[in-house]
Amino acid sequence: SFGWHHLASVRVTAMNRATGIIVQWNVEKGFGFAKRPFGADIYVHHTALPDDRGHLRVGEKITFGIETGGDGRRQAVDVQIVG
């Protein structure tokens, strides 16, 4: 059974996700950028998308985690399309 501790940890995880809207997407190169309500635009690579999606469209709303890539840039991970 799921106890309160489990539910609390799920809620904290959900709260740590950021939201944004895709403002640029290059289909040929497989990456783009999302505008966040606060902070700089964030890099989104096609490998961070759900398995059934190879690209995003400008205007799509997403949620995502944020990690620092090997090049030192912050990038979106575990991207989910909203709605």
Side-chain angles (χ1 to χ4, degrees):
S1 75
F2 293 126
W4 174 253
H5 177 72
H6 176 75
L7 294 175
S9 67
V10 170
R11 185 177 355 186
V12 168
T13 300
M15 288 174 57
N16 287 336
R17 291 183 61 79
T19 61
I21 297 174
I22 298 299
V23 292
Q24 180 181 3
W25 190 263
N26 185 318
V27 174
E28 292 176 5
K29 294 185 178 182
F31 73 89
F33 295 90
K35 182 167 200 57
R36 298 185 287 166
F38 303 99
D41 291 358
I42 191 153
Y43 176 80
V44 183
H45 193 263
H46 73 91
T47 57
L49 305 180
D51 290 339
D52 62 339
R53 294 290 299 261
H55 68 279
L56 294 169
R57 292 183 301 274
V58 171
E60 280 190 293
K61 295 179 183 179
I62 61 172
T63 65
F64 52 91
I66 300 173
E67 291 183 358
T68 302
D71 60 1
R73 291 188 299 175
R74 293 170 57 89
Q75 61 188 30
V77 295
D78 187 30
V79 173
Q80 300 295 316
I81 292 91
V82 176

